[in-house]
């Protein structure tokens, strides 16, 4: 997935590249969320998901501006 950020759109929403990189990394991280006991042992459960498509990435909320969410789609062109 490739996101071409528009610096003007970022600035207009009071966002910076340095501020959104951690948000994007967090959105694509997987976590251990616990274990479930099964008859033959335990099954490790993970939560969070990896981004599978440009559409998934477009829906990431990067922050808020004027009381409204700012999505990646608002400040970047994304492609698979």
């Amino acid at each position: 997935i490739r996101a071409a950020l528009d610096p003007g759109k970022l600035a207009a929403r009071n966002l910076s590249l340095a501020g959104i990189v951690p948000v994007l990394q967090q959105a694509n991280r997987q976590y251990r969320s616990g274990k479930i006991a099964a008859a033959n042992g335990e099954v490790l459960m993970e939560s969070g998901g990896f981004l599978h498509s440009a559409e998934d990435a477009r829906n990431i909320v990067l922050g808020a501006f004027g009381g409204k969410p700012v999505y990646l789609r608002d400040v970047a062109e994304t492609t698979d």
Side-chain angles (χ1 to χ4, degrees):
I1 300 169
R2 182 176 302 250
L5 296 164
D6 183 318
K9 289 180 180 180
L10 286 170
R13 291 164 177 86
N14 202 27
L15 295 171
S16 68
L17 181 59
I20 66 168
V21 166
V23 174
L24 294 172
Q25 289 172 331
Q26 187 78 13
N28 199 33
R29 188 166 286 155
Q30 196 167 21
Y31 298 96
R32 289 186 180 175
S33 59
K35 297 178 183 175
I36 295 178
N40 296 332
E42 294 180 332
V43 177
L44 177 64
M45 300 299 295
E46 295 182 343
S47 63
F50 293 106
L51 301 173
H52 298 288
S53 68
E55 185 62 29
D56 292 339
R58 287 182 196 108
N59 292 317
I60 296 171
V61 176
L62 301 176
F65 183 74
K68 296 181 181 179
V70 177
Y71 296 92
L72 182 61
R73 65 179 173 252
D74 297 329
V75 297
E77 293 292 326
T78 55
T79 56
D80 287 314

